[in-house]
C-alpha cells in the first residue's frame, strides 16, 4: 500500500512502458473539462443576455403604454377644442346635415 502511494506521488504511471494509455485518458479528461468550462461560460453569457433583454422589453413596454396614454389625451375632443380656440376655431353650433345620394336606373 505504501509503495503504491509513493508510485502515484512519483508519477511512475506516467513514465512507465504502458503510459500511453494513461496519457490518452488524461488528455481525454482535459479536453472534456475544457469543453465543459466553455459550455458553462456560454450558458452564463446567454443568461446575462436574457436578463438584459428582459429588462429592455419591460422598459419598452412601459414607454409604449405611456405614449399610448399621451396619444389618447391628445385625441380627446376637449384637448383639440382647447388647442384650436387659440386660433379662433371652435366647434360648430349647428349639427351636420346628412347627404343622401339616390341613384335611379
Amino acid at each position: 500500500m505504501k509503495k503504491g502511494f509513493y508510485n502515484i506521488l512519483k508519477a511512475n504511471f506516467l513514465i512507465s512502458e504502458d503510459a500511453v494509455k494513461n496519457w490518452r485518458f488524461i488528455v481525454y479528461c482535459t479536453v472534456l473539462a475544457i469543453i465543459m468550462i466553455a459550455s458553462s461560460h456560454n450558458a452564463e453569457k446567454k443568461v446575462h443576455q436574457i436578463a438584459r433583454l428582459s429588462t429592455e422589453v419591460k422598459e419598452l413596454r412601459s414607454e409604449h403604454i405611456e405614449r399610448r396614454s399621451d396619444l389618447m389625451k391628445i385625441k380627446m375632443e376637449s384637448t383639440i377644442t382647447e388647442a384650436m380656440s387659440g386660433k379662433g376655431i371652435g366647434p360648430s353650433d349647428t349639427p351636420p346635415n346628412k347627404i343622401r345620394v339616390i341613384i335611379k336606373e
Side-chain angles (χ1 to χ4, degrees):
M1 179 78 168
K2 197 173 190 182
K3 186 177 179 183
F5 184 69
Y6 284 130
N7 283 338
I8 291 174
L9 286 179
K10 290 180 184 179
N12 284 340
F13 65 96
L14 295 177
I15 56 175
S16 65
E17 293 175 7
D18 60 344
V20 174
K21 291 187 289 183
N22 296 334
W23 278 106
R24 283 184 191 159
F25 182 72
I26 290 171
V27 169
Y28 176 73
C29 288
T30 305
V31 168
L32 284 180
I34 290 171
I35 290 172
M36 187 178 75
I37 291 169
S39 175
S40 171
H41 283 295
N42 282 341
E44 190 69 25
K45 191 187 306 183
K46 296 269 189 214
V47 167
H48 287 295
Q49 184 179 13
I50 288 170
R52 182 178 48 81
L53 290 175
S54 175
T55 304
E56 188 176 342
V57 164
K58 287 179 184 177
E59 290 173 1
L60 289 173
R61 184 175 289 133
S62 66
E63 184 179 343
H64 168 70
I65 291 171
E66 181 181 347
R67 301 278 186 224
R68 188 173 59 187
S69 173
D70 291 344
L71 179 64
M72 293 301 281
K73 288 178 186 175
I74 290 171
K75 286 171 53 175
M76 289 176 64
E77 184 181 355
S78 60
T79 307
I80 294 172
T81 304
E82 188 178 306
M84 291 293 117
S85 66
K87 296 181 180 181
I89 300 173
S92 177
D93 293 332
T94 60
N97 295 326
K98 273 189 179 179
I99 300 175
R100 288 188 177 170
V101 177
I102 302 174
I103 301 175
K104 292 183 180 180
E105 292 185 23

